């Protein structure tokens, strides 16, 4: 093949060498750009997604702490009203709900599980609804038994059937005697509003799970309604173990591979994950490579154009001499070779001068 190349014309050899000389650095540079683009994209994704997950865990923790503090304060007021047997307890609960819209309802129970007062935001309860079902609420039992604040997993409200989370706060007298439990039903809508604020890319989103791996907030409304159990997902298991980091996993919801940052919410054991389809990251890298390819093609076309001009500049006068020489041989060496034009390369001009000397009469 090399021998065949050597027999080609100078113009073809020059053009081929120019193309090879342009393609080699383009290929090497393209490979390094591709690797660097992937590395930079993955590093940026990992840093961004983990930071987003950690930043989302903070307002969630604040949300829980604020409502826990408010519930404790309301429990103190309820204890004073219960000791004085004031009829203002119901009014207190209604006022508390108005001041803290993060609660759907507040329920005050005594130590025997009897509901003393009940207040609910929104529609009033039907007359035949038995609110005594809250006596079997595990959050109530745990707070009454342990004497400490407690929070339930996400579950269905026994009255409405809607997904909800209960907080239990012991009600104590000034002397420290426990006389009941105040239950607060958290608003899942406000938690979902926190989650929905995080949007990036085309399908990037966030999701929250409770300490048992059940969905609290998710872009799939159906998963929220059914309280989907995703505790078998490796990323969820990592969150429930209290870890923070970045990982890849397959999402049945997005039906594709995802890369996600994740973080645990302290105290309550919830988890926050911020996934994005790997295809979106690949698309960004491919967009960068397309831009590089277009510039490479433009550079290659410019190199070819310059090679053609250079070949014509060098080879043109030589072709002229060659054609004139063949004509001179055909005419029996009668005549003269034409003068090489003045803008030809120096070596070609010198060759033309020598040829003129030998062919001059």
């Amino acid at each position: 093949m090399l021998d065949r190349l050597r027999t080609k014309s100078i113009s073809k050899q020059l053009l081929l060498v120019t193309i090879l000389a342009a393609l080699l650095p383009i290929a090497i540079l393209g490979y390094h750009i591709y690797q660097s683009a992937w590395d930079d994209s993955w590093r940026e994704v990992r840093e961004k997604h983990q930071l987003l997950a950690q930043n989302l865990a903070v307002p969630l923790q604040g949300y829980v702490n604020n409502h826990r503090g408010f519930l404790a304060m309301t429990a103190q007021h309820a204890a004073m009203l219960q000791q004085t047997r004031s009829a203002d307890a119901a009014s207190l609960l209604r006022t508390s709900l108005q001041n803290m819209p993060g609660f759907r309802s507040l329920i005050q129970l005594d130590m025997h599980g009897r509901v003393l007062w009940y207040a609910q935001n929104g529609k009033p309860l039907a007359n035949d609804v038995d609110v005594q079902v809250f006596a079997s609420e595990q959050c109530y039992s745990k707070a009454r038994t342990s004497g400490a604040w407690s929070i339930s997993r996400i579950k269905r409200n026994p009255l409405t059937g809607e997904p909800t989370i209960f907080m239990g706060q012991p009600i104590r007298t000034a002397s420290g005697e426990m006389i009941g439990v105040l239950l607060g039903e958290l608003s899942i809508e406000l938690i979902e509003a926190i989650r929905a604020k995080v949007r990036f890319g085309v399908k990037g989103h966030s999701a929250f799970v409770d300490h048992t791996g059940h969905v609290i907030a998710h872009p799939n409304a159906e998963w929220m309604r059914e309280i989907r159990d995703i505790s078998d997902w490796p990323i969820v298991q990592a969150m429930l173990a209290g870890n923070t980091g970045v990982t890849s996993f397959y999402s049945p919801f997005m039906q594709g591979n995802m890369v996600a940052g994740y973080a645990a919410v302290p105290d309550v054991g919830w988890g926050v994950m911020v996934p994005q389809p790997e295809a979106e990251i690949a698309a960004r890298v491919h967009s960068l490579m397309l831009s590089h390819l277009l510039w490479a093609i433009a550079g290659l076309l410019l190199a070819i154009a310059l090679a053609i001009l250079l070949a014509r500049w060098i080879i043109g006068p030589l072709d002229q001499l060659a054609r004139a020489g063949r004509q001179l041989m055909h005419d029996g060496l009668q005549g003269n070779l034409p003068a090489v034009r003045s803008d030809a390369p120096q070596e070609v001009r010198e060759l033309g001068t020598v040829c003129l000397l030998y062919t001059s009469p």
Side-chain angles (χ1 to χ4, degrees):
M1 182 177 180
L2 185 60
D3 292 336
R4 292 179 59 187
L5 179 62
R6 289 173 178 172
T7 60
K8 298 293 183 182
S9 65
I10 296 177
S11 59
K12 292 182 178 180
Q13 293 185 39
L14 182 61
L15 182 61
L16 182 59
V17 169
T18 301
I19 293 175
L20 291 176
L23 284 177
L24 184 60
I26 288 174
I28 295 175
L29 182 61
Y31 174 79
H32 286 289
I33 289 178
Y34 183 77
Q35 293 297 323
S36 178
W38 268 114
D39 292 343
D40 291 345
S41 294
W42 278 113
R43 183 169 55 253
E44 178 185 347
V45 165
R46 289 179 177 274
E47 292 174 353
K48 179 180 69 175
H49 285 58
Q50 182 172 334
L51 184 61
L52 280 172
Q54 291 173 318
N55 288 343
L56 267 177
V58 173
L60 268 184
Q61 181 66 55
Y63 178 87
V64 173
N65 287 342
N66 289 341
H67 287 74
R68 175 183 176 183
F70 188 81
L71 195 66
M73 181 178 64
T74 306
Q76 291 178 354
H77 293 159
M80 291 187 294
L81 293 175
Q82 186 171 337
Q83 281 185 296
T84 59
R85 300 185 181 278
S86 172
D88 292 334
S91 177
L92 168 66
L93 296 186
R94 286 192 294 270
T95 303
S96 298
L97 278 177
Q98 293 173 358
N99 293 331
M100 187 60 102
F103 284 118
R104 286 177 178 169
S105 62
L106 291 173
I107 309 102
Q108 183 179 345
L109 299 95
D110 64 16
M111 296 299 291
H112 302 289
R114 292 191 298 267
V115 175
L116 302 180
W117 306 103
Y118 182 95
Q120 180 188 32
N121 275 329
K123 296 181 180 179
L125 293 176
N127 294 329
D128 58 346
V129 170
D130 182 13
V131 295
Q132 301 301 328
V133 293
F134 290 108
S136 60
E137 168 56 43
Q138 291 183 355
C139 195
Y140 161 74
S141 301
K142 186 176 180 180
R144 184 188 62 180
T145 304
S146 66
W149 171 84
S150 66
I151 187 169
S152 73
R153 68 174 182 85
I154 186 165
K155 58 196 308 182
R156 297 199 180 280
N157 184 302
L159 298 182
T160 65
E162 296 179 356
T164 192
I165 296 173
F166 286 105
M167 283 184 174
Q169 178 64 44
I171 302 175
R172 297 182 182 276
T173 63
S175 62
E177 179 189 0
M178 186 173 173
I179 59 176
V181 173
L182 181 63
L183 288 181
E185 180 190 4
L186 288 177
S187 171
I188 302 300
E189 291 79 7
L190 290 185
I191 299 177
E192 167 61 14
I194 296 175
R195 185 211 64 80
K197 290 180 180 179
V198 178
R199 295 180 180 178
F200 51 91
V202 179
K203 296 182 178 180
H205 58 274
S206 61
F208 305 154
V209 297
D210 69 5
H211 61 278
T212 64
H214 289 75
V215 170
I216 297 176
H218 195 278
N220 188 333
E222 183 60 31
W223 284 19
M224 291 181 60
R225 283 191 294 269
E226 68 181 61
I227 314 179
R228 175 69 65 92
D229 181 5
I230 57 174
S231 59
D232 58 338
W233 291 15
I235 186 174
V236 175
Q237 294 173 359
M239 289 188 293
L240 300 186
N243 298 325
T244 296
V246 179
T247 189
S248 299
F249 69 99
Y250 177 82
S251 171
F253 169 57
M254 300 301 299
Q255 296 184 344
N257 292 325
M258 313 288 286
V259 57
Y262 61 90
V265 181
D267 297 339
V268 292
W270 294 356
V272 175
M273 59 179 169
V274 183
Q276 182 179 16
E278 289 185 359
E280 291 187 11
I281 303 169
R284 183 168 57 182
V285 174
H286 293 159
S287 176
L288 177 63
M289 291 308 301
L290 178 61
S291 175
H292 167 72
L293 179 61
L294 293 176
W295 280 107
I297 292 175
L300 181 61
L301 293 177
L302 178 60
I304 292 174
L306 292 176
I308 293 174
L309 292 176
L310 183 62
R312 288 181 178 179
W313 179 54
I314 297 174
I315 306 304
L318 292 177
D319 284 342
Q320 183 182 13
L321 285 175
R323 287 194 300 271
R326 288 193 295 270
Q327 184 65 38
L328 189 62
M329 293 292 295
H330 182 269
D331 295 338
L333 300 180
Q334 299 297 317
N336 296 316
L337 290 174
V340 178
R341 63 176 187 263
S342 59
D343 62 343
Q346 179 180 349
E347 291 82 356
V348 177
R349 293 199 307 271
E350 292 176 354
L351 177 63
T353 300
V354 173
C355 292
L356 285 174
L357 291 174
Y358 278 95
T359 57
S360 297

